[in-house]
């Protein structure tokens, strides 16, 4: 049996430990995409550990249902500790409206302590977002990056008496090591890497999860830049930034693929249910990521820093990730990707220009 399968089975039965009760007492934690799967499980963990939790949903009635469920299961009914804000990552305008509402919701507290950017999707068919990008690229990469940049600004402004450093956590996936980036520099000079990945004609329909791995690698590149921005001019880390992969988790993430054929309808849930861990166990990695130290900030000492995951040993991951993260090609492609992403962000959201360091 392969080491990957063995590790998946280990994680399915031996969970990541949770910190002591009340570890997040007095803190405000944001979890995006909390209506289902890992986001819902994470909201429940943080609430049980004492946090006030802001959850997001594309639909307010659905979000309010989740709020009631989390309050009940965490035993905090009537305490006003769970808040729902609407967020649809397929539109930039929704991201901006969301951040305004978040500012209002956290104004009476000391600000946001932890943000877990979890919302994401896999599309089996090509879907174009209202912004004109393929939807996986829009949601998993572009809007998540925009939210990350806006939240970084917000978290930096936390009141000085806050003793604990804020945490910005991006949910990526082990799949970021999969894309073959050797053609990406050429795509950049043709119509752009983002455009190439977003073009209907290039939709990789032969793949089981078309564009998902690309979207998570693009996000990983963007997070490296956000990490740099999280370091203050005096060299201190202002906001601790990490990426996290929860491993294979049995959720509804693969529902779009399962629709594809009868075989997939059987294979996708079977694979995830046999090898995948529960959402409860998967979301524990988010809790771990929300408690990393300043030394574990992603680019600290210019190492790969802390990518929270359990599927690979450190050296194994270093070797597997080298082609896409550290090789000469990767360094070139990374810079090209960031240039495209930040150009798009500033085009779509001119206010970013005014924000310090954006
Ligand atoms: N499951 C795994 O094995 C696995 C492995 C590695 C990484 N991940 C990552 O973990 C994260 C959560 O996945 P999951 O497995 O919990 O999937 P899930 O059960 O499908 O939940 C996804 C969440 O994202 C939200 N979402 C989807 N599109 C959105 C949009 N346009 N705007 C705002 N929210 C949106 C969904 O909201 P609605 O209810 O409105 O659809 C839902 O709350 C994803 O980023 C995924 O890539 C998962």
């Amino acid at each position: 049996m392969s080491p990957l399968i063995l590790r998946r089975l280990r994680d399915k039965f031996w969970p990541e430990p949770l910190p002591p009760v009340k570890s997040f007492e007095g803190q405000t934690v944001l979890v995006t995409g909390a209506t289902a799967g890992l986001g819902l499980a994470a909201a429940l963990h943080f609430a049980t550990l004492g946090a006030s939790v802001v959850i997001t949903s594309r639909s307010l009635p659905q979000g309010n249902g989740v709020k009631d469920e989390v309050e009940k299961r965490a035993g905090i009914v009537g305490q006003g500790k769970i808040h729902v804000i609407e967020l649809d990552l397929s539109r930039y305008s929704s991201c901006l409206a969301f951040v305004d509402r978040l500012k209002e919701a956290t104004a009476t507290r000391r600000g946001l302590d932890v943000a877990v950017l979890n919302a994401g999707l896999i599309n089996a068919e090509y879907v174009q977002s209202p912004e004109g990008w393929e939807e996986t690229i829009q949601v998993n990469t572009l809007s998540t990056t925009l939210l990350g940049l806006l939240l970084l600004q917000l978290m930096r402004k936390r009141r000085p008496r806050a003793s604990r450093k804020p945490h910005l956590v991006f949910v990526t996936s082990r799949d970021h090591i999969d894309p073959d980036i050797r053609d990406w520099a050429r795509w950049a000079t043709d119509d752009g890497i983002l455009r190439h990945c977003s073009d209907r004609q290039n939709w990789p329909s032969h793949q089981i999860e078309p564009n998902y791995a690309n979207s998570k690698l693009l996000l990983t590149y963007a997070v490296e830049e956000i990490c740099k921005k999280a370091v203050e001019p005096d060299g201190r880390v202002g906001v601790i930034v990490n990426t996290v992969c929860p491993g294979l988790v049995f959720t509804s993430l693969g529902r779009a693929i399962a629709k594809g054929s009868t075989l997939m309808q059987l294979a996708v849930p079977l694979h995830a249910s046999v090898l995948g861990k529960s959402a409860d166990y998967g979301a524990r990695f988010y809790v771990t990521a929300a408690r990393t130290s300043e030394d574990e900030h992603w680019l600290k000492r210019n190492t790969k820093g802390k990518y929270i995951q359990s599927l690979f040993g450190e050296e194994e991951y270093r070797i597997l990730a080298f082609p896409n993260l550290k090789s000469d090609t990767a360094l070139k492609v990374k810079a090209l990707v960031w240039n495209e992403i930040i150009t798009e962000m500033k085009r779509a959201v001119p206010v970013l220009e005014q924000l310090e360091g954006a």
Side-chain angles (χ1 to χ4, degrees):
M1 210 181 279
S2 81
L4 188 62
I5 292 182
L6 284 174
R7 283 178 196 145
R8 281 181 167 153
L9 288 173
R10 176 201 60 198
D11 285 1
K12 185 180 166 86
F13 297 108
W14 283 277
E16 174 83 352
L18 282 171
V21 202
K22 298 198 174 173
S23 291
F24 286 85
E25 193 78 45
Q27 296 193 38
T28 304
V29 176
L30 163 71
V31 181
T32 67
T35 51
L38 285 151
L40 172 55
L44 187 56
H45 280 314
F46 286 117
T48 308
L49 292 167
S52 290
V53 186
V54 178
I55 59 176
T56 79
S57 171
R58 284 188 276 187
S59 134
L60 273 186
Q62 195 186 358
N64 284 325
V66 170
K67 170 182 181 287
D68 292 345
E69 182 185 339
V70 172
E71 286 182 343
K72 233 180 259 165
R73 289 174 62 189
I76 52 169
V77 175
Q79 294 184 21
K81 290 177 86 173
I82 310 293
H83 308 269
V84 188
I85 305 182
E86 207 172 336
L87 171 67
D88 180 353
L89 289 168
S90 67
R91 291 178 292 112
Y92 296 130
S93 57
S94 176
C95 299
L96 293 173
F98 164 76
V99 173
D100 285 343
R101 300 265 338 266
L102 183 69
K103 277 184 201 157
E104 287 165 21
T106 56
T108 53
R109 294 172 238 270
R110 61 179 193 184
L112 192 61
D113 296 277
V114 175
V116 181
L117 304 191
N118 158 77
L121 57 84
I122 291 178
N123 274 340
E125 302 293 330
Y126 184 93
V127 178
Q128 195 175 47
S129 79
E131 307 291 348
W133 300 95
E134 187 282 313
E135 196 184 31
T136 326
I137 300 292
Q138 181 71 58
V139 171
N140 296 359
T141 307
L142 292 172
S143 294
T144 299
T145 301
L146 174 62
L147 212 51
L149 287 167
L150 295 170
L151 292 177
L152 180 67
Q153 295 300 325
L154 195 65
M155 294 170 106
R156 271 179 151 169
K157 286 189 194 139
R158 263 176 23 139
R159 289 172 216 157
R161 71 184 160 87
S163 54
R164 212 172 159 270
K165 291 248 156 123
H167 282 75
L168 182 52
V169 177
F170 291 85
V171 178
T172 59
S173 161
R174 59 131 333 266
D175 292 10
H176 71 275
I177 63 179
D178 289 346
D180 180 347
I181 59 168
R182 282 173 296 181
D183 284 337
W184 286 29
R186 182 174 53 76
W187 297 352
T189 47
D190 293 350
D191 50 355
I193 297 165
L194 293 174
R195 280 269 160 243
H196 184 99
C197 291
S198 223
D199 189 333
R200 190 187 292 265
Q201 289 181 356
N202 301 324
W203 179 246
S205 50
H206 57 283
Q207 290 176 14
I208 295 181
E209 301 175 346
N211 246 359
Y212 179 71
N214 287 343
S215 73
K216 293 292 188 179
L217 177 59
L218 292 165
L219 176 63
T220 302
Y221 289 160
V223 176
E224 283 200 18
E225 293 301 321
I226 293 175
C227 283
K228 290 179 198 163
K229 292 177 186 298
V231 178
E232 303 296 343
D234 63 6
R236 284 179 308 112
V237 176
V239 176
I240 298 172
V241 182
N242 291 107
T243 50
V244 60
C245 173
L248 182 63
V249 184
F250 187 27
T251 66
S252 50
L253 185 69
R255 60 192 175 278
I257 310 166
K259 277 188 205 150
S261 66
T262 313
L263 178 66
M264 282 300 177
Q265 270 170 33
L266 294 171
V268 171
L270 188 69
H271 176 249
S273 64
V274 172
L275 290 180
K277 57 176 89 70
S278 65
D280 169 342
Y281 285 9
R284 288 166 182 240
F285 290 93
Y286 296 5
V287 177
T288 300
R291 286 168 53 81
T292 49
S293 66
E294 191 171 329
D295 279 350
E296 294 167 303
H297 179 76
W298 221 63
L299 287 181
K300 187 85 175 173
R301 291 189 299 275
N302 207 23
T303 67
K304 75 174 173 54
K306 201 78 174 178
Y307 162 49
I308 307 295
Q309 55 92 32
S310 67
L311 286 177
F312 309 114
E314 283 213 5
E315 183 58 11
E316 189 185 5
Y317 173 68
R318 198 187 62 76
I319 294 166
L320 288 169
F322 181 83
N324 284 357
L325 297 187
K326 297 282 180 202
S327 66
D328 288 347
T329 307
L331 299 183
K332 186 173 173 188
V333 162
K334 231 186 256 192
L336 292 165
V337 165
W338 179 246
N339 183 41
E340 289 185 25
I341 290 181
I342 199 68
T343 303
E344 164 66 1
M345 300 287 96
K346 288 177 177 172
R347 180 202 65 77
V349 186
V351 73
L352 266 183
E353 287 277 16
Q354 299 154 20
L355 293 175
E356 183 199 357

